[in-house]
Amino acid sequence: HQRGDKAVLRYQTYGEVGNDFQKIVGAVKDAKDRNRLLIKGNWTNFVECEGKNEKFDLYHKPPMPEGNAKQFGFSYFALGMGDRSEGATGGAGALCPTDCRLRPDVRLMEEGNIDQGAAEKFRLEEKQRAWRKQRAEENVTWRPRWFSLEKDEDTG
């Protein structure tokens, strides 16, 4: 950002090129719009970068879990998204209390209790609506507890 470099990529869609629809092509350009690195690949398997004297992988699809067809084709990463164990979340107390993995309605639905999960979701949403209405009546501006809006020096 500080030197004016930028990456320009083109993602080819299904209708554009038939069987080659997942193709990525592009370049990293300097401030004078000269190509410095070429980028190629496809968004499901690999992306590599090539310069004058170098060639390296930016991304390679990791191996899939055995039997993942029975788990909706999920990768190890996707399968671990809902994991609430200490090892997966960085230890006890590491999750923000608003992390979706701690939502009781989501957990109930994951366990197959769809009706109970839907009722819990409705209860939580009604509670949020009541808080929002109370803040509006009291003219209180909501401020996030864990985040603040800041301007990034590099990206603006």
Side-chain angles (χ1 to χ4, degrees):
H1 292 288
Q2 294 173 349
R3 298 184 325 196
D5 295 350
K6 64 181 177 182
V8 179
L9 299 175
R10 176 165 165 70
Y11 295 83
Q12 295 181 338
T13 62
Y14 183 74
E16 291 182 69
V17 287
N19 292 337
D20 220 8
F21 73 93
Q22 298 171 331
K23 190 173 181 183
I24 297 172
V25 292
V28 175
K29 298 175 176 272
D30 64 17
K32 295 182 180 176
D33 208 37
R34 296 178 295 204
N35 288 348
R36 292 300 181 191
L37 298 168
L38 299 178
I39 300 171
K40 63 181 179 178
N42 68 49
W43 67 69
T44 57
N45 294 314
F46 77 98
V47 178
E48 60 188 20
C49 198
E50 190 173 335
K52 285 184 179 181
N53 301 316
E54 59 185 335
K55 185 176 181 179
F56 53 93
D57 289 341
L58 295 175
Y59 169 78
H60 243 92
K61 179 181 175 180
M64 299 301 272
E66 189 175 322
N68 78 327
K70 293 180 181 177
Q71 298 168 318
F72 309 103
F74 286 174
S75 64
Y76 286 109
F77 175 77
L79 289 171
M81 293 289 291
D83 191 349
R84 297 184 305 165
S85 67
E86 284 192 26
T89 60
L95 291 178
C96 170
T98 58
D99 189 295
C100 67
R101 289 172 285 183
L102 300 176
R103 284 181 46 172
D105 59 321
V106 172
R107 187 58 53 187
L108 286 165
M109 289 185 190
E110 286 175 350
E111 293 169 352
N113 300 319
I114 304 301
D115 292 339
Q116 196 176 355
E120 179 63 13
K121 181 178 186 279
F122 181 76
R123 187 191 70 78
L124 290 171
E125 289 172 345
E126 287 298 307
K127 188 175 176 183
Q128 290 170 347
R129 287 184 190 99
W131 284 340
R132 192 176 300 121
K133 182 179 177 184
Q134 182 180 352
R135 282 194 305 270
E137 289 172 354
E138 296 173 1
N139 201 23
V140 174
T141 303
W142 178 80
R143 298 198 193 289
R145 186 178 302 174
W146 291 280
F147 304 98
S148 60
L149 183 60
E150 296 178 4
K151 185 173 183 175
D152 185 271
E153 293 178 15
D154 293 328
T155 61

